[in-house]
Amino acid sequence: MTCGSPSFSRRLVLQGAGSVALVGLGFGTVPAVAAANDKYPEDAFRQKGDADAIKALYGKTAEASDKVKLDAPEIAENGAVVPIAVATALTAVTSISFLVSENPNALAAFYVIPEGTVPAVANRLKMAKTCNVIAIVESAGKLYSATKEVKVTVGGCGG
Amino acid sequence: MASTIRVRATVSGDTTEVQALIQHPMDSGFVKDAQGQIIPAHFIQQLTFEHGGRTVFLANWGAAVSKDPYVKFSFKGGAKGDDLKINWMDNKGATDSTTAKIS
């Protein structure tokens, strides 16, 4: 088993081509800003590494913060089902995302948090192997992250 | 056909806690079957929760979300007996939706 890559419809490929064209014309200086709308961030989910995925998703980088509480196991016996949760004391949170650094595609989930929704999410992710899990909280336009290494005994992406 | 979505939404004080479990293979597109053929990617991309005509939670998922995905979140303002609408769409365009009562 392995994690990762979506298949892409022709329409989405064409949309991607369109946005590339915009970048070429200089309109792409504010990339994607996925958090501002409800569109599926196809491009960010296609990126290989965590840094590229964060860039594609938000167009900026995150700073580590102890206000982001990432709850993940030390050791995951089964990489196919790793329970991971995040909560934060930060206010004005607009989105929360989860990345698994060594997965074929690092971005695992991106949650839009409207006003009135508690900035805490729990879910279950697949992990290819032992690596870092990164949670990113977008608060008042800034990105805050927490990182934790999870040891995987049986990969959710290999066997 | 029974819905693929199972939801439990419970209100406590002014906060409604929602837990959802969905039946879906969440195939990543990297796994091979017994014949060595790649199983094509098939996973939920978007999952929305609506309360009182307002989206209270939107999940964008990649293929790294586990099979039969589970998610938990909370929002302010739900009341006992309110409807909570849940809807998902996967990368093949399939959808399913259900309406749960907040208890």
Side-chain angles (χ1 to χ4, degrees):
Chain A
M1 300 199 306
T2 310
C3 308
S5 237
S7 65
F8 302 104
S9 71
R10 183 167 170 271
R11 183 170 61 86
L12 288 161
V13 168
L14 289 174
Q15 277 174 354
S19 56
V20 167
L22 285 176
V23 171
L25 292 169
F27 293 113
T29 41
V30 184
V33 194
N37 59 47
D38 295 345
K39 210 171 144 285
Y40 184 70
E42 186 88 44
D43 186 51
F45 277 106
R46 238 181 306 177
Q47 301 298 321
K48 300 249 179 283
D50 49 298
D52 286 346
I54 293 166
K55 213 172 142 200
L57 188 59
Y58 296 104
K60 50 195 165 192
T61 53
E63 60 172 286
S65 168
D66 58 4
K67 290 201 174 107
V68 179
K69 298 269 175 258
L70 174 61
D71 187 12
E74 291 283 334
I75 297 172
E77 283 180 12
N78 181 0
V81 187
V82 185
I84 294 166
V86 70
T88 180
L90 294 160
T91 53
V93 173
T94 50
S95 77
I96 292 177
S97 57
F98 293 85
L99 297 102
V100 181
S101 64
E102 293 292 325
N103 270 4
N105 298 108
L107 184 61
F110 169 66
Y111 297 98
V112 176
I113 309 290
E115 202 183 334
T117 296
V118 181
V121 183
N123 59 10
R124 298 197 289 229
L125 305 178
K126 287 181 258 192
M127 291 183 67
K129 53 185 160 187
T130 297
C131 66
N132 284 332
V133 172
I134 305 161
I136 295 192
V137 173
E138 185 182 29
S139 161
K142 285 196 165 161
L143 304 181
Y144 302 92
S145 68
T147 304
K148 186 173 176 183
E149 192 193 50
V150 177
K151 293 191 167 60
V152 176
T153 21
V154 181
C157 300
Chain B
M1 191 185 107
S3 174
T4 57
I5 309 169
R6 288 176 61 195
V7 188
R8 178 175 299 167
T10 48
V11 64
S12 149
D14 63 346
T15 307
T16 305
E17 185 185 271
V18 182
Q19 292 185 81
L21 196 59
I22 301 162
Q23 277 178 18
H24 199 281
M26 298 300 282
D27 288 318
S28 66
F30 289 100
V31 184
K32 288 181 183 163
D33 64 15
Q35 280 75 46
Q37 301 290 313
I38 289 210
I39 302 166
H42 185 206
F43 59 95
I44 294 174
Q45 290 189 320
Q46 282 200 315
L47 167 71
T48 54
F49 294 80
E50 242 179 73
H51 170 258
R54 204 173 72 88
T55 300
V56 291
F57 193 72
L58 165 65
N60 292 283
W61 280 345
V65 171
S66 299
K67 181 185 173 186
D68 296 339
Y70 163 85
V71 69
K72 181 169 101 168
F73 72 98
S74 304
F75 68 96
K76 309 260 186 211
K80 227 172 226 189
D82 282 4
D83 280 346
L84 184 69
K85 273 192 216 165
I86 299 101
N87 177 55
W88 63 252
M89 187 171 89
D90 68 21
N91 66 323
K92 293 182 177 176
T95 63
D96 195 14
S97 60
T98 191
T99 303
K101 285 257 186 268
I102 296 173
S103 60

